[in-house]
Amino acid sequence: MTTYAFIFARGGSKGLPGKNIRELGGIPLIAHSILLAKQLPAIDGVFVSTDCENIATVARNYGADVIMRPPELATDSAPEWLAWQHAIKHMFANGRQFDLFLSLPSTSPLRSAEDVNNCIESLDSETDIVITVTPAARNPYFNMVVRDNLNETRIVLGAGGTVRRQDAPEVFDITTVAYAARTAFILNHDKIFDGRVKSVVIPKCRAVDIDDALDFQFAELLYQHAANPPQ
């Protein structure tokens, strides 16, 4: 089975301009995904999909092949799923058939090789896509609410019947650590939950998802802690 890893990195980030090539630990953010992918025996090729020449240059410098993405697939409103489909079609059109699609977003630089391998191994014959999740900080059965235009407030789920957090059903946040899927599923469907989905649980210390400057500062702290654990 041929597995290709993809990093989708557009140039127009508004939450943290230039984040994909901003340095974390002296390495551009996108390079963390590239370097990890290149060290995994299960991965047969590493590709970066981008609309930005600066990102493309950094990607090539770290050994990834580049797929230049059309501008209409790199806007704030363009679903990344369409960029996934574009990358697969590009590969097929260039004679590079493969079976397993792996997305390693640059926004989760603290992932481990074990996290990625677990995703790949979880993609069994009964599964279309594997996502990564982490325990949620808030629970819609216990301490998440919705408000109407009169400020009337109610619990999201369960009508407020859960009085202890420990009694609420366990819920998870989706992370951007990794996505593993079959190419045919992506090409023939419109979104993740159109198919049979499994998940791999990632510890919070490796599940950081960088969207803005505060996220980046938090990632820096965790990265430094991992590099210099207390004695």
Side-chain angles (χ1 to χ4, degrees), residues 141-142 161-169:
Y141 293 92
F142 178 68
T162 302
V163 297
R164 296 194 319 149
R165 177 180 55 81
Q166 295 89 338
D167 297 330

mmCIF file of all heavy atoms in Angstrom, residues 141-142 161-169:
data_model
loop_
_atom_site.group_PDB
_atom_site.id
_atom_site.type_symbol
_atom_site.label_atom_id
_atom_site.label_comp_id
_atom_site.label_asym_id
_atom_site.label_seq_id
_atom_site.Cartn_x
_atom_site.Cartn_y
_atom_site.Cartn_z
ATOM 1 N N TYR A 141 -22.867 18.352 27.828
ATOM 2 C CA TYR A 141 -23.847 17.770 28.738
ATOM 3 C C TYR A 141 -23.778 18.401 30.130
ATOM 4 O O TYR A 141 -24.647 18.162 30.959
ATOM 5 C CB TYR A 141 -23.614 16.265 28.888
ATOM 6 C CG TYR A 141 -23.872 15.472 27.640
ATOM 7 C CD1 TYR A 141 -22.846 15.196 26.740
ATOM 8 C CD2 TYR A 141 -25.140 14.972 27.360
ATOM 9 C CE1 TYR A 141 -23.073 14.454 25.599
ATOM 10 C CE2 TYR A 141 -25.386 14.231 26.213
ATOM 11 C CZ TYR A 141 -24.339 13.972 25.342
ATOM 12 O OH TYR A 141 -24.582 13.236 24.211
ATOM 13 N N PHE A 142 -22.718 19.202 30.378
ATOM 14 C CA PHE A 142 -22.512 19.681 31.746
ATOM 15 C C PHE A 142 -22.250 21.177 31.848
ATOM 16 O O PHE A 142 -22.909 21.887 32.607
ATOM 17 C CB PHE A 142 -21.361 18.912 32.388
ATOM 18 C CG PHE A 142 -21.029 19.341 33.783
ATOM 19 C CD1 PHE A 142 -21.910 19.118 34.821
ATOM 20 C CD2 PHE A 142 -19.831 19.989 34.054
ATOM 21 C CE1 PHE A 142 -21.612 19.533 36.121
ATOM 22 C CE2 PHE A 142 -19.517 20.409 35.334
ATOM 23 C CZ PHE A 142 -20.419 20.178 36.370
ATOM 24 N N GLY A 161 -29.644 17.573 33.016
ATOM 25 C CA GLY A 161 -29.820 16.483 33.967
ATOM 26 C C GLY A 161 -28.549 16.015 34.637
ATOM 27 O O GLY A 161 -28.593 15.331 35.654
ATOM 28 N N THR A 162 -27.380 16.367 34.104
ATOM 29 C CA THR A 162 -26.111 15.938 34.674
ATOM 30 C C THR A 162 -25.643 16.970 35.692
ATOM 31 O O THR A 162 -25.472 18.143 35.361
ATOM 32 C CB THR A 162 -25.045 15.768 33.575
ATOM 33 O OG1 THR A 162 -25.506 14.813 32.619
ATOM 34 C CG2 THR A 162 -23.726 15.299 34.167
ATOM 35 N N VAL A 163 -25.455 16.539 36.926
ATOM 36 C CA VAL A 163 -25.082 17.477 37.981
ATOM 37 C C VAL A 163 -23.616 17.370 38.370
ATOM 38 O O VAL A 163 -23.111 18.222 39.107
ATOM 39 C CB VAL A 163 -25.975 17.291 39.231
ATOM 40 C CG1 VAL A 163 -27.420 17.606 38.887
ATOM 41 C CG2 VAL A 163 -25.864 15.866 39.773
ATOM 42 N N ARG A 164 -22.925 16.324 37.906
ATOM 43 C CA ARG A 164 -21.493 16.196 38.173
ATOM 44 C C ARG A 164 -20.763 15.981 36.855
ATOM 45 O O ARG A 164 -21.218 15.215 36.007
ATOM 46 C CB ARG A 164 -21.194 15.010 39.091
ATOM 47 C CG ARG A 164 -21.752 15.086 40.485
ATOM 48 C CD ARG A 164 -21.104 14.043 41.403
ATOM 49 N NE ARG A 164 -20.935 12.763 40.719
ATOM 50 C CZ ARG A 164 -19.938 11.908 40.988
ATOM 51 N NH1 ARG A 164 -19.027 12.199 41.899
ATOM 52 N NH2 ARG A 164 -19.859 10.753 40.345
ATOM 53 N N ARG A 165 -19.630 16.658 36.690
ATOM 54 C CA ARG A 165 -18.854 16.494 35.461
ATOM 55 C C ARG A 165 -18.494 15.035 35.224
ATOM 56 O O ARG A 165 -18.505 14.556 34.095
ATOM 57 C CB ARG A 165 -17.575 17.340 35.553
ATOM 58 C CG ARG A 165 -16.649 17.200 34.341
ATOM 59 C CD ARG A 165 -15.399 18.061 34.516
ATOM 60 N NE ARG A 165 -14.693 17.754 35.753
ATOM 61 C CZ ARG A 165 -13.852 16.716 35.892
ATOM 62 N NH1 ARG A 165 -13.640 15.884 34.885
ATOM 63 N NH2 ARG A 165 -13.227 16.510 37.041
ATOM 64 N N GLN A 166 -18.197 14.301 36.295
ATOM 65 C CA GLN A 166 -17.773 12.903 36.163
ATOM 66 C C GLN A 166 -18.873 12.008 35.595
ATOM 67 O O GLN A 166 -18.600 10.928 35.064
ATOM 68 C CB GLN A 166 -17.316 12.354 37.518
ATOM 69 C CG GLN A 166 -16.077 13.030 38.076
ATOM 70 C CD GLN A 166 -16.407 14.253 38.920
ATOM 71 O OE1 GLN A 166 -17.486 14.837 38.784
ATOM 72 N NE2 GLN A 166 -15.475 14.657 39.773
ATOM 73 N N ASP A 167 -20.142 12.458 35.725
ATOM 74 C CA ASP A 167 -21.258 11.650 35.236
ATOM 75 C C ASP A 167 -21.621 11.953 33.782
ATOM 76 O O ASP A 167 -22.425 11.229 33.182
ATOM 77 C CB ASP A 167 -22.497 11.895 36.110
ATOM 78 C CG ASP A 167 -22.284 11.452 37.547
ATOM 79 O OD1 ASP A 167 -21.506 10.498 37.763
ATOM 80 O OD2 ASP A 167 -22.888 12.064 38.454
ATOM 81 N N ALA A 168 -21.065 13.007 33.228
ATOM 82 C CA ALA A 168 -21.382 13.380 31.845
ATOM 83 C C ALA A 168 -20.666 12.445 30.871
ATOM 84 O O ALA A 168 -19.551 11.980 31.141
ATOM 85 C CB ALA A 168 -20.949 14.817 31.586
ATOM 86 N N PRO A 169 -21.280 12.137 29.732
ATOM 87 C CA PRO A 169 -20.589 11.338 28.713
ATOM 88 C C PRO A 169 -19.279 12.017 28.309
ATOM 89 O O PRO A 169 -19.219 13.250 28.210
ATOM 90 C CB PRO A 169 -21.575 11.315 27.541
ATOM 91 C CG PRO A 169 -22.907 11.592 28.160
ATOM 92 C CD PRO A 169 -22.636 12.520 29.309
#
